[in-house]
Amino acid sequence: MARRKLIAGNWKMNMTREAAVALIKELIPLVQTEESDVALCVPAIDIIPCVDAVQNTNIKIGAQNMYFEEKGAFTGEIAPDMLTSTGVEYVILGHSERRGYFAETDETVNKKVLKAFEHGLTPIICCGESLEQRQQGITLDLIRMQIKIAFGSVDAENAKKAVVAYEPIWAIGTGVTASTEQAQEVCKGIRDCLAELYGSEVAEEIRILYGGSVSASNAADLFAQSDIDGGLVGGASLKADFGKIVNYK
């Protein structure tokens, strides 16, 4: 089946609200397309002005994290209904930086995935391996474990709506990109794993993105791979070049 591409930007910890709105105004005419979905996952403090700035455009706004409780004494965390009340549609969960710097685990990612579905949010579920793990030849073993735990107790109907982002840690922000063959091999491995969990028909509906130094120069080759349905774009989403990635053909 032909899955609709998703090009999502991850702004990470960048952009004041003024800079965020200015960039969105610059990007709006550059990311016009009827062939792909476009999302920007912005810092929490920028969400409301960004949602306002993209009204009546093809850009959707996403968050970069979310907690798995509804409310309570969780200082510094953001509840799912806080996101939905602003108009957020996507939320990145389990990014390697959250795992590496902030003690995110496969189990907490699963709790967040389940809570996101409860609230009608589309999770962008991240997975990826370090350079050492790749050199040890355990990439697919590790990715399969991350996927199986992240999707624990997720039913097939919700699984279809999920987005998975494969981001090799050794390629994030380094300028080093996985070869198209490497990226396709792992993304196919992810789809095969999802087929084991849900059957091939469901697995064929789930969008799998590649992330890791995606740029205007490599997007077309990456997105042409049969199991890569777009990209989770870091640094390149902070500038006008993001428009070239969205319109990669």
Side-chain angles (χ1 to χ4, degrees):
M1 63 172 292
R3 292 174 296 273
R4 185 173 172 82
K5 292 284 194 285
L6 169 62
I7 318 299
N10 176 13
W11 284 6
K12 306 191 180 184
M13 195 178 73
N14 294 288
M15 295 287 172
T16 62
R17 57 184 294 156
E18 295 82 8
V21 171
L23 178 57
I24 282 177
K25 288 180 178 176
E26 184 181 6
L27 286 175
I28 286 170
L30 303 178
V31 299
Q32 296 304 306
T33 177
E34 295 182 357
E35 297 185 14
S36 304
D37 293 330
V38 180
L40 294 171
C41 297
V42 305
I45 202 164
D46 294 337
I47 287 173
I48 291 174
C50 287
V51 167
D52 291 341
V54 301
Q55 292 300 308
N56 302 312
T57 76
N58 65 319
I59 302 173
K60 304 298 184 184
I61 297 299
Q64 297 176 10
N65 189 31
M66 180 201 80
Y67 200 53
F68 51 77
E69 297 287 356
E70 298 286 345
K71 60 182 178 181
F74 305 106
T75 300
E77 294 293 337
I78 297 175
D81 64 354
M82 294 176 185
L83 297 180
T84 56
S85 70
T86 67
V88 161
E89 297 189 24
Y90 296 92
V91 58
I92 296 173
L93 299 176
H95 192 281
S96 63
E97 290 158 2
R98 298 293 317 170
R99 295 174 188 259
Y101 302 144
F102 304 108
E104 192 93 72
T105 67
D106 292 331
E107 289 74 21
T108 57
V109 171
N110 174 241
K111 290 181 180 181
K112 292 180 179 186
V113 168
L114 292 169
K115 188 59 68 172
F117 282 129
E118 276 184 38
H119 287 265
L121 290 161
T122 299
I124 300 175
I125 304 164
C126 297
C127 59
E129 84 284 11
S130 67
L131 182 58
E132 181 181 14
Q133 289 162 337
R134 173 164 280 273
Q135 290 171 337
Q136 290 171 339
I138 61 172
T139 293
L140 286 176
D141 296 322
L142 179 77
I143 299 294
R144 285 171 58 84
M145 181 178 73
Q146 290 175 334
I147 292 298
K148 287 186 175 183
I149 296 175
F151 279 84
S153 299
V154 175
D155 63 35
E157 284 308 305
N158 277 324
K160 290 178 187 178
K161 305 170 193 171
V163 177
V164 176
Y166 166 54
E167 293 202 307
I169 299 169
W170 47 273
I172 298 175
T174 62
V176 177
T177 310
S179 69
T180 53
E181 293 78 15
Q182 288 172 321
Q184 165 59 20
E185 177 190 23
V186 177
C187 289
K188 182 182 185 303
I190 292 169
R191 201 173 307 283
D192 290 345
C193 181
L194 291 166
E196 291 172 20
L197 295 175
Y198 298 105
S200 58
E201 191 172 320
V202 171
E204 283 299 314
E205 291 194 39
I206 299 172
R207 293 192 285 188
I208 301 173
L209 313 183
Y210 170 77
S213 299
V214 177
S215 67
S217 62
N218 62 30
D221 287 341
L222 286 166
F223 300 167
Q225 302 303 302
S226 59
D227 288 291
I228 299 178
D229 306 310
L232 184 58
V233 183
S237 69
L238 294 166
K239 48 194 176 184
D241 260 15
F242 185 61
K244 296 178 182 175
I245 297 173
V246 169
N247 295 285
Y248 59 91
K249 292 183 179 179

